[in-house]
Amino acid sequence: MGVLMSKRQTVEQVQKEVQEEKDPEAGTAVVQEDSSLHRAAWERLRDGRGIEPEEFDKTSRFTPPAFVRPTRKLDDDKPPDICLEPREPVINDEMCDICEVWTAESLFPCRVCTRVFHDGCLRRMGYIQGDSSAEVTEMAHTETGWSCHYCDNLNLLLTEEEMYSLTETFQRCKVIPDCSLTLEDFVRYRHQAAKRGDSNRALSDAQEEQAARQFAALDPEHCGHVEWPDFLSHESLLLLQQLRPQNSLLRLLTVKERERARAAFLARGSGSAISETECRRAQHSWFCRRLSEAPSCSVSISHVGPMADSSPASSSSKSQDKALLPAEQEARSVDWPTFLRENAIYILAARPNSAAIHLKPPG
């Protein structure tokens, strides 16, 4: 067991004291109601005893976090300074992002950001339900990793203006939110979105085939439909790719993602550049996840880089890479800045826990 360490409790205590000054009678009632709870907490703190997540019974204080959509800065399109060397240190948070309490129990780290979570807190907030708790436990401590509810939803990367544009497109194309889409629905939507007010303009035969391939990538289990979260993430990525310059996309990458990209580049190249084929292979490798026999890691996920070429995950994907890549290697060499820019959108697309490929790489 660990020691109770909650920033939220401190804030709430200050708020109560301010309320007591404004309304002494109400303040007295609140203090009497919570006196036993606070006394028990102080006794645990004094004696060096902690609490487990399931013992932290304050359901009324567990409210969904208020999310504010990001805004783009004036220098958003300028090249960020992301060097190949030296490597960036990656350190996970120490306290659960939901309850802001540290315990000695296992914390589930996000593979994208530095947040960590208790499984009990995730269940209490409804972020994991039923059998998915065991799946989260298994995935969070493998090389594949697990994405938290912030990173799993790619739509949260859009600004207010970008979200308005996407919503307007959905309304114009008569897309019903929270509903799955069949192949016919998906292709019809792509046709309508391509017209943009011009009735004579639609998808070509090649573009329609590409849309069908993307649908298949979004439906890897061949269920015949694409779930709404996967469709929303895919459309959000397309909008980011359309409206944002590559330098802006680079600024969306987290420290963990940049470190994973560095490891992939250094593993595939010799020196300061890699081949075009290796760059394309890297684009496909971001989606090698949800393996049935993913090896467990004995270290924190924050210190785990991309799958090494000798790992079972990498070896199982090499045959798939060969099928996806052209037979002849292209002569173009790719340096580190170019590699990072061309892979940024695919690194973002690999964030969700879903097995769907939200943006199928070419080749």
Side-chain angles (χ1 to χ4, degrees):
M1 291 200 226
V3 179
L4 177 63
M5 298 173 59
S6 176
K7 294 185 293 184
R8 180 170 298 170
Q9 281 186 324
T10 304
V11 173
E12 291 171 345
Q13 183 64 30
V14 172
Q15 292 174 341
K16 286 181 181 179
E17 292 174 358
V18 173
Q19 182 64 30
E20 290 169 15
E21 293 177 0
K22 295 181 179 179
D23 190 353
E25 295 182 0
T28 302
V30 171
V31 170
Q32 290 177 349
E33 182 181 351
D34 290 349
S35 59
S36 60
L37 181 63
H38 289 164
R39 190 184 313 111
W42 279 110
E43 288 176 356
R44 285 192 295 267
L45 183 61
R46 180 197 61 197
D47 299 338
R49 296 182 292 111
I51 58 173
E52 303 302 330
E54 50 268 23
E55 296 174 0
F56 193 71
D57 189 15
K58 293 187 179 181
T59 308
S60 61
R61 295 182 183 178
F62 281 82
T63 56
F67 179 80
V68 179
R69 288 196 172 273
T71 57
R72 294 181 60 183
K73 298 181 180 179
L74 294 177
D75 60 348
D76 187 67
D77 58 344
K78 294 182 179 179
D81 186 16
I82 306 177
C83 302
L84 182 60
E85 296 290 352
R87 307 289 287 270
E88 296 180 78
V90 180
I91 302 175
N92 279 330
D93 297 341
E94 294 183 351
M95 295 190 294
C96 173
D97 187 75
I98 295 176
C99 69
E100 295 183 338
V101 170
W102 179 90
T103 67
E105 283 296 299
S106 175
L107 291 167
F108 295 158
C110 176
R111 66 186 175 92
V112 178
C113 65
T114 59
R115 299 181 183 93
V116 294
F117 303 86
H118 293 126
D119 62 336
C121 293
L122 291 171
R123 286 196 301 270
R124 188 176 291 110
M125 296 294 290
Y127 293 129
I128 56 174
Q129 299 175 356
D131 297 337
S132 61
S133 177
E135 183 180 1
V136 169
T137 306
E138 179 183 354
M139 294 296 295
H141 296 287
T142 64
E143 291 191 41
T144 301
W146 161 82
S147 296
C148 69
H149 47 278
Y150 293 99
C151 303
D152 182 58
N153 186 358
L154 297 176
N155 183 253
L156 299 184
L157 296 175
L158 300 183
T159 63
E160 290 284 357
E161 295 78 10
E162 291 166 343
M163 188 58 201
Y164 176 81
S165 174
L166 184 61
T167 303
E168 190 179 45
T169 301
F170 286 165
Q171 292 175 344
R172 187 175 64 249
C173 298
K174 296 181 175 56
V175 173
I176 303 175
D178 298 321
C179 292
S180 59
L181 285 82
T182 64
L183 174 59
E184 183 180 357
D185 297 331
F186 186 78
V187 174
R188 184 190 305 114
Y189 165 78
R190 293 252 58 91
H191 272 287
Q192 293 174 344
K195 289 181 180 180
R196 295 184 182 180
D198 184 0
S199 59
N200 296 324
R201 181 185 175 191
L203 298 181
S204 63
D205 292 341
Q207 290 173 325
E208 187 172 331
E209 292 178 3
Q210 183 180 0
R213 289 194 298 270
Q214 179 60 61
F215 179 89
L218 290 171
D219 180 28
E221 297 177 356
H222 307 292
C223 299
H225 63 269
V226 172
E227 298 295 336
W228 171 256
D230 290 330
F231 172 74
L232 183 61
S233 289
H234 172 67
E235 294 304 311
S236 300
L237 281 169
L238 290 183
L239 191 63
L240 284 173
Q241 196 174 27
Q242 176 186 354
L243 300 181
R244 302 272 190 104
Q246 288 182 325
N247 289 330
S248 178
L249 297 178
L250 287 178
R251 296 182 184 277
L252 299 177
L253 300 181
T254 64
V255 175
K256 289 184 179 181
E257 289 173 323
R258 293 196 297 267
E259 274 300 285
R260 186 183 178 193
R262 284 188 181 93
F265 183 85
L266 293 173
R268 296 180 182 278
S270 55
S272 59
I274 64 174
S275 67
E276 171 75 10
T277 299
E278 290 296 337
C279 183
R280 290 194 179 185
R281 182 175 288 115
Q283 292 172 359
H284 288 278
S285 70
W286 304 129
F287 303 101
C288 297
R289 60 184 184 278
R290 286 188 173 273
L291 301 167
S292 58
E293 298 180 359
S296 297
C297 300
S298 59
V299 296
S300 170
I301 198 71
S302 64
H303 301 292
V304 176
M307 291 174 285
D309 289 340
S310 59
S311 69
S314 176
S315 60
S316 64
S317 65
K318 284 184 177 180
S319 59
Q320 182 183 11
D321 287 339
K322 291 179 180 179
L324 293 169
L325 296 172
E328 297 181 2
Q329 287 192 348
E330 300 184 32
R332 184 173 77 101
S333 61
V334 180
D335 59 9
W336 164 245
T338 305
F339 173 84
L340 199 58
R341 286 196 304 270
E342 294 184 359
N343 278 271
I345 190 66
Y346 299 109
I347 296 174
L348 294 174
R351 284 185 179 185
N353 295 307
S354 168
I357 298 179
H358 295 82
L359 195 62
K360 187 174 177 61

